[in-house]
């Protein structure tokens, strides 16, 4: 693992404004930002741990916990909100058996996240799984869509 | 009629509706005589997947709602009339909607293939850049932009010509330009569509700007939630570099421009220009005090000009057709055209481009087709979390920067979300505050904590636990937050609350005094039951229930388990027999 982190560090070390790309590549490599990896990054780049955490917690793209194999983004934009996004979110969580406060299924198959707006408002309500967008959704379509993902 | 060309719309909305499958189905049976092309989005998103069929005489017809099974009929010219949307040959349902538009920024959207630079070149692509580089001085370009009256389309509406002047006049030989493609307003997707449908028009606008202000390096800051836009931009940049429209020594005039694409990391506030700059520098995206404005000290403390996607996409047209042609559209203080995103409870959801000065009523009814299911119109939300809700009696308001501000909303970036009688205005106010409260960077106390306190009050009201003094508290806190926040996020965060209080106070009072939600949305104040007499046992409600708390067999009475029911109202919405009673 550390060999690969070292590659990332070599690529950016000494340049300006590298905290975001460093963390992005780390996350790509390991799936999330583990505390020991952040510490390792800090030790080898000289960027304080606090600064790295400052960036990591500021942007919604960074995950501080391991994520499921498929990330479901439930759009909570205005158009989706007035078209039943809340109900859809409840249905997805209920279908996956997630309890309150839990975002990832115990088999690590799915992580369910809410996003502010996916910009596909004309098809509200919308969700995105990975890079694929599903629009004009209704509660009874959810099972069929989720079952396609291993 | 002999078909010459078929174009399939392949932007995000089309792809999400199955355009890829439609494309392959057509391709499978395609005769050699027909050319099959990919294009992006004409803006009629409600009818996706869409195709355009062009005959030998060059006349075109658009069909919508396609499925792969329609491919054969499409190729035989036997598609049913109900799939016809727009036609140059006969009466068609959306002819009028298209005729009402003036398409400048979206001139190529849905007609060219965004991934093929040749398509762009065939329609005067990069001609404006060539003209500027070979025959115009920087000042001439700026004067042209000033004369066009173009105001920034990112929200604030600042004169683009003036902004360029500041950047040009700023001292220093290293300067930057930035294209703001962070489009964070929920309900807005104009910029996404421009980037997906016509990325070169943005690049050309950026190159003209860079030439004018004297910048050699540029960034596009695009939100990561737009993977297709990112992909097409990357290709467009590479193609333009290869053909010498970007890169070193453009048109052999000694002018060079290198554009770097930066993907956002997910923070609404990074759309604010100083926060965006901090984010490109790799920091937390915290806005800072202005002045100094980016034109004096921006990225890496160098003079920086930052414009929105739509602003840049307007530039080449203005140079090619002249400032006067652009300024001929619009009102005295708001010139030109504006792209709007129509969403929510409107029939024709999608994107439109109209001259400034058109009324909201014309947009919503003449172009948008009116309200879904012909329900009563309640409000239109403009300007996202910084904007406000405009009620029915102001539908004749002209759409220009100043008239919209008078209503308490703002023009914003162009998102219009239409709401009907099933939308609760207290809930909407809480929805936006929840958003801004989440997205506040935390720098200013009032924005960080004030919005939180306001949200708590709104939640209390929604739970039926509000008191009349809460309304005054909301107004008081709003004033404090507006006065004590550094950036636009905080300064405008109370707008959704203030406008709903101004136009829909009766709904607040109903929640507070009568413990009633008139729209039947606030779950603490509604209760659902099934009417034994009316239920036909059609099972629709059981299938719509997100937590499966409705039981019953086919053709038998259904029952809601009241202990589990979350009062979401899904059953009420789907029931076709009025058998779900809401109290
Ligand atoms: C909280 C906040 C969010 C913003 N988000 C965006 C955005 O997503 N896109 C954008 O173009 N401008 C956004 N702006 C406006 C920018 O700060 C800036 O005014 C704009 O990019 C300037 O470009 P223009 O003159 O072409 O409009 C935002 C402003 C604020 C205060």
């Amino acid at each position: 693992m550390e060999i690969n982190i070292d590659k990332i560090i070599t690529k950016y070390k000494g340049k300006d404004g590298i905290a975001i790309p460093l963390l992005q590549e780390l996350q790509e490599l390991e799936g999330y930002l583990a505390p020991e990896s952040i510490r390792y990054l800090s030790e080898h780049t000289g960027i304080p741990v606090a600064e790295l955490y400052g960036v990591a917690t500021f942007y919604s793209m960074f995950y501080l916990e391991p994520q499921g194999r498929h990330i479901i983004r439930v759009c909570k934009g205005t158009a989706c909100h007035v078209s039943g996004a809340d109900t859809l979110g409840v249905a997805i969580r209920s279908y996956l058996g997630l309890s309150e406060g839990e975002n990832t299924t115990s088999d690590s198959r799915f992580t369910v996240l809410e996003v502010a707006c996916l910009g596909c408002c004309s098809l509200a309500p919308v969700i995105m799984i990975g890079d694929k967008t599903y629009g004009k959704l209704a509660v009874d379509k959810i099972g069929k869509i989720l079952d396609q993902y291993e | 009629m002999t078909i010459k060309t078929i174009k399939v719309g392949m932007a995000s909305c089309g792809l999400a509706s199955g355009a890829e499958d439609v494309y392959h189905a057509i391709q499978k049976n395609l005769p050699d005589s027909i050319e099959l092309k990919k294009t992006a989005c004409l803006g009629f998103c409600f009818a996706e997947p869409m195709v355009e069929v062009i005959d030998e005489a060059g006349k075109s017809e658009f069909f919508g709602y396609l499925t792969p099974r329609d491919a054969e009929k499409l190729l035989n010219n036997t598609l049913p009339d109900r799939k016809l949307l727009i036609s140059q040959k006969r009466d068609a349902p959306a002819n009028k909607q298209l005729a009402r538009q003036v398409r400048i920024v979206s001139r190529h959207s849905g007609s060219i293939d965004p991934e093929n630079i040749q398509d762009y070149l065939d329609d005067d692509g990069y001609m404006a850049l060539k003209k500027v580089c070979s025959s115009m001085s920087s000042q001439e370009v700026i004067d042209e932009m000033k004369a066009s009256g173009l105001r920034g389309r990112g929200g604030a509406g600042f004169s683009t010509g003036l902004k360029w002047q500041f950047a040009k006049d700023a001292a220093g030989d290293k300067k930057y330009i930035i294209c703001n493609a962070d489009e964070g307003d929920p309900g807005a997707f104009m910029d996404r569509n421009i980037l997906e449908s016509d990325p070169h028009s943005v690049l050309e606008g950026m190159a003209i700007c860079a030439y004018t202000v004297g910048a050699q390096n540029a960034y596009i800051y695009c939100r990561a939630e737009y993977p297709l836009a990112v992909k097409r931009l990357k290709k467009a940049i590479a193609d333009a570099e290869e053909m010498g429209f970007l890169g070193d020594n453009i048109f052999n005039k000694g002018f060079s421009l290198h554009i770097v694409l930066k993907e956002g990391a997910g923070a609404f506030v990074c759309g604010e220009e100083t926060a965006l700059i901090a984010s490109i520098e790799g920091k937390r995206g915290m806005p800072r005090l202005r002045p100094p404005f980016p034109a004096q000290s921006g990225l890496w403390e160098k003079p920086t000009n930052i414009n929105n996607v739509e602003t840049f996409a307007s530039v080449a047209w203005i140079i090619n057709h002249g400032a006067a042609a652009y300024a001929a559209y619009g009102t005295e203080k708001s010139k030109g055209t504006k792209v709007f995103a129509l969403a929510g409870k409107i029939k024709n959801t999608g994107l439109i481009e109209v001259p400034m000065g058109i009324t909201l009523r014309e947009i919503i009814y003449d172009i948008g087709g009116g309200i879904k299911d012909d329900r009563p119109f309640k409000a239109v939300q403009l300007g996202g979390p910084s904007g406000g809700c405009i009620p029915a009696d102001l539908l004749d308001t002209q759409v220009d920067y100043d008239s919209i501000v008078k209503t308490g909303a703002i023009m914003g970036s162009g998102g219009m979300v239409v709401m009907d009688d099933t939308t609760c205005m207290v809930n909407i106010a809480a929805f936006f505050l929840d958003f801004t409260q989440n997205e506040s960077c935390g720098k200013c106390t009032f924005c960080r904590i004030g919005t939180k306190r306001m949200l708590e009050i709104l939640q209390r009201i929604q739970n039926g636990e509000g008191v009349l003094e809460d309304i005054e508290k909301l107004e008081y806190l709003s004033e404090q937050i507006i006065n004590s926040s550094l950036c636009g996020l905080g300064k405008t965060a109370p707008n959704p609350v203030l406008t709903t209080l101004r136009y829909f106070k009766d709904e607040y009072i109903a929640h507070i005094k009568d413990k009633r939600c008139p729209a039947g949305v606030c779950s603490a104040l509604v209760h659902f039951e099934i009417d034994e007499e009316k239920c036909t046992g059609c099972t629709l409600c059981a299938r719509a229930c997100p937590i499966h708390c409705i039981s019953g067999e086919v053709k038998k009475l259904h029952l809601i388990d009241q202990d589990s029911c979350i009062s979401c109202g899904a059953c009420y919405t789907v029931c076709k027999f009025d058998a779900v009673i809401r109290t």
Side-chain angles (χ1 to χ4, degrees):
Chain A
M1 176 188 92
E2 296 193 347
I3 297 172
N4 288 325
I5 296 198
D6 289 335
K7 271 193 200 149
I8 303 175
I9 292 169
T10 324
K11 184 166 158 194
Y12 289 104
K13 201 172 170 176
K15 292 189 187 153
D16 281 335
I18 57 171
I20 294 176
L22 266 179
L23 292 171
Q24 275 169 338
E25 292 208 19
L26 174 64
Q27 179 162 297
E28 229 160 79
L29 184 71
E30 300 184 345
Y32 77 110
L33 304 174
E36 53 282 5
S37 302
I38 292 194
R39 221 168 296 126
Y40 187 87
L41 265 193
S42 165
E43 278 162 19
H44 291 81
T45 57
I47 305 174
V49 171
E51 197 178 316
L52 290 175
Y53 267 104
V55 169
T57 54
F58 187 84
Y59 295 102
S60 64
M61 189 180 119
F62 293 117
Y63 309 128
L64 297 173
E65 280 161 18
Q67 304 295 299
R69 290 193 295 283
H70 306 288
I71 296 191
I72 306 176
R73 294 186 166 79
V74 182
C75 181
K76 301 279 278 189
T78 322
C80 290
H81 178 74
V82 301
S83 310
D86 282 346
T87 308
L88 198 67
V90 171
I92 291 173
R93 299 180 57 87
S94 147
Y95 189 81
L96 298 176
L98 291 171
S99 48
E100 205 163 325
E102 201 182 26
N103 292 329
T104 302
T105 55
S106 52
D107 58 359
S108 297
R109 191 165 142 228
F110 287 110
T111 292
V112 183
L113 303 174
E114 288 179 354
V115 299
C117 183
L118 291 171
C120 239
C121 317
S122 48
L123 302 178
V126 175
I127 65 169
M128 208 166 167
I129 306 182
D131 268 359
K132 192 166 163 56
T133 310
Y134 297 88
K136 295 188 183 166
L137 285 182
V139 169
D140 57 354
K141 291 187 191 163
I142 287 173
K144 220 173 136 193
I145 293 173
L146 297 189
D147 290 350
Q148 295 168 28
Y149 291 84
E150 287 293 308
Chain B
M1 176 194 85
T2 334
I3 301 177
K4 187 153 173 277
T5 311
I6 295 176
K7 294 181 189 174
V8 184
M10 310 261 252
S12 283
C13 303
L15 291 171
S17 311
E20 191 101 49
D21 293 340
V22 171
Y23 182 87
H24 291 306
I26 300 172
Q27 198 178 34
K28 222 161 82 194
N29 299 308
L30 193 73
D32 287 342
S33 57
I34 300 179
E35 181 192 25
L36 180 62
K37 294 195 68 171
K38 292 180 180 177
T39 180
C41 173
L42 186 74
F44 289 71
C45 309
F46 65 95
E48 295 284 5
M50 264 179 81
V51 297
E52 181 183 9
V53 178
I54 305 168
D55 68 14
E56 278 181 320
K59 296 249 187 241
S60 103
E61 288 195 319
F62 286 89
F63 295 90
Y65 316 102
L66 291 208
T67 68
R69 269 183 289 163
D70 291 323
E72 207 182 312
K73 287 191 182 131
L74 175 74
L75 292 168
N76 302 335
N77 262 317
T78 52
L79 273 180
D81 281 355
R82 67 189 152 78
K83 303 223 168 187
L84 179 71
L85 272 176
I86 302 162
S87 171
Q88 292 183 334
K89 300 186 272 197
R90 49 182 162 154
D91 213 24
N95 279 0
K96 205 177 86 190
Q97 273 102 312
L98 191 63
R100 290 299 299 263
Q101 301 190 38
V102 175
R103 298 169 68 92
I104 290 178
V105 170
S106 46
R107 64 194 178 279
H108 295 137
S109 300
S111 71
I112 69 168
D113 177 353
E115 297 192 22
N116 184 350
I117 190 170
Q118 196 55 47
D119 269 24
Y120 184 68
L121 294 175
D122 287 346
D123 192 35
D124 289 347
Y126 291 103
M127 289 306 284
L129 178 63
K130 190 170 183 187
K131 177 174 172 188
V132 162
C133 288
S134 45
S135 66
M136 289 174 85
S137 71
S138 320
Q139 193 55 48
E140 279 169 342
V141 179
I142 288 175
D143 291 342
E144 193 73 4
M145 295 311 292
K146 283 183 186 162
S148 75
L150 176 65
R151 293 170 66 171
R153 300 302 191 222
F158 190 79
S159 156
T160 305
L162 261 185
K163 200 184 249 188
W164 290 17
Q165 183 84 63
F166 293 145
K168 174 186 170 277
D169 294 348
D173 42 346
K174 196 160 174 72
K175 296 181 186 177
Y176 291 97
I177 63 166
I178 299 174
C179 172
N180 189 342
D182 199 41
E183 193 163 60
D185 276 2
F189 48 103
M190 303 77 47
D191 295 349
R192 170 178 66 69
N193 193 51
I194 295 168
L195 296 171
E196 286 179 1
S197 298
D198 195 13
H200 287 287
S201 71
V202 179
L203 301 184
E204 187 173 4
M206 290 177 72
I208 292 170
C209 173
Y211 168 85
T212 307
V213 306
Q216 307 78 26
N217 291 289
Y219 286 89
I220 302 176
Y221 189 88
C222 185
R223 66 194 298 240
E225 287 86 348
Y226 288 175
L228 186 62
V230 167
K231 178 179 154 230
R232 291 192 177 158
L233 268 174
K234 280 188 181 154
K235 176 152 197 327
I237 294 172
D239 290 349
E241 277 176 356
E242 199 181 308
M243 299 199 61
F245 302 124
L246 295 176
D248 290 320
N249 196 15
I250 297 168
F251 292 122
N252 289 320
K253 300 287 173 197
F255 152 64
S256 303
L257 177 66
H258 297 274
I259 300 185
V260 174
L261 182 70
K262 276 260 174 191
E263 281 182 59
F268 170 70
V269 74
C270 285
E272 195 278 337
E273 54 192 33
T274 59
L276 189 155
I277 288 170
S279 181
I280 294 183
E281 291 172 351
K283 302 180 204 146
R284 284 163 69 96
M286 311 275 269
R288 63 156 177 80
L289 203 61
R290 298 173 306 178
F293 285 92
Q296 274 85 48
S297 174
L299 187 60
W300 314 116
E301 289 166 16
K302 301 282 184 240
T304 302
N305 181 77
I306 172 162
N307 278 122
N308 163 263
V309 169
E310 194 181 331
T311 314
F312 279 129
S314 311
V315 172
W317 192 95
I318 293 173
I319 298 294
N320 280 331
H321 297 80
Y326 189 78
Y329 296 109
T331 64
E332 195 199 331
K333 289 192 179 140
S334 304
K335 298 289 186 204
T337 58
K338 174 85 194 81
V339 182
F340 289 99
L342 304 182
K345 302 297 176 78
I346 188 164
K347 279 185 188 155
N348 303 343
T349 55
L351 291 153
I352 60 162
E353 183 172 355
V354 288
M356 294 274 194
I358 190 171
T359 67
L360 286 169
R361 187 185 302 282
E362 288 170 295
I363 291 182
I364 293 167
Y365 286 91
D366 296 351
I367 303 179
I371 312 305
K372 257 184 202 154
D373 303 327
D374 294 315
R375 299 193 74 93
F377 168 91
K378 186 185 267 184
V380 55
Q381 211 284 339
L382 251 71
S386 311
C389 294
I390 302 178
D393 53 1
L394 293 178
L395 271 177
D396 291 309
T397 304
Q398 278 197 0
V399 178
D400 62 61
Y401 289 98
D402 312 286
S403 308
I404 297 292
V405 164
K406 279 192 206 132
T407 67
I410 60 162
M411 174 89 89
S413 56
M416 285 194 182
V417 183
V418 174
M419 296 162 186
D420 64 11
D421 60 336
T422 64
T423 310
C424 166
M425 300 317 275
V426 181
N427 174 274
I428 284 297
F431 164 79
F432 280 114
L433 224 59
D434 182 46
F435 177 87
T436 35
Q437 189 268 126
N438 251 314
E439 297 292 342
S440 168
C441 78
K443 188 168 185 165
C444 307
T445 315
F446 281 82
C447 177
R448 181 180 72 241
I449 301 173
T451 54
K452 181 126 191 131
R453 292 290 97 84
M454 283 180 76
L455 179 62
E456 286 163 2
I457 295 174
L458 287 168
Q459 281 163 344
R460 260 203 329 260
I461 296 177
Q462 284 185 283
N463 286 335
E465 292 155 4
V467 290
L468 279 175
E469 293 77 67
D470 281 340
I471 292 184
E472 278 156 51
K473 267 191 208 153
L474 285 174
E475 283 165 343
Y476 174 76
L477 279 170
S478 295
E479 197 187 313
Q480 304 291 319
I481 294 169
I482 291 169
N483 290 334
S484 329
S485 300
L486 183 77
C487 87
L489 190 144
K491 280 187 186 305
T492 58
N495 282 353
V497 180
L498 291 175
T499 51
T500 48
L501 273 174
R502 181 160 152 194
Y503 300 119
F504 301 96
K505 200 174 239 169
D506 52 328
E507 287 197 32
Y508 282 82
I509 306 278
H511 284 76
I512 294 170
K513 275 179 122 175
D514 313 337
K515 311 294 171 205
R516 190 174 62 83
C517 173
V521 170
C522 296
S523 54
L525 303 179
V526 285
H527 176 82
F528 296 92
E529 260 172 274
I530 294 180
D531 187 332
E532 290 180 26
E533 308 273 288
K534 290 185 177 165
C535 177
T536 64
C538 76
T539 74
L540 218 52
C541 59
R543 280 182 281 147
C545 176
I547 55 160
H548 308 292
C549 78
I550 303 181
S551 56
E553 287 168 40
V554 186
K555 294 195 177 158
K556 298 226 171 92
L557 175 66
H558 279 52
L559 203 70
I560 301 175
D561 172 8
Q562 296 295 344
D563 290 337
S564 319
C565 177
I566 54 167
S567 296
C568 69
C571 50
Y572 179 83
T573 313
V574 296
C575 183
K576 293 195 163 80
F577 304 98
D578 292 329
V580 180
I581 311 167
R582 185 175 73 196
T583 44

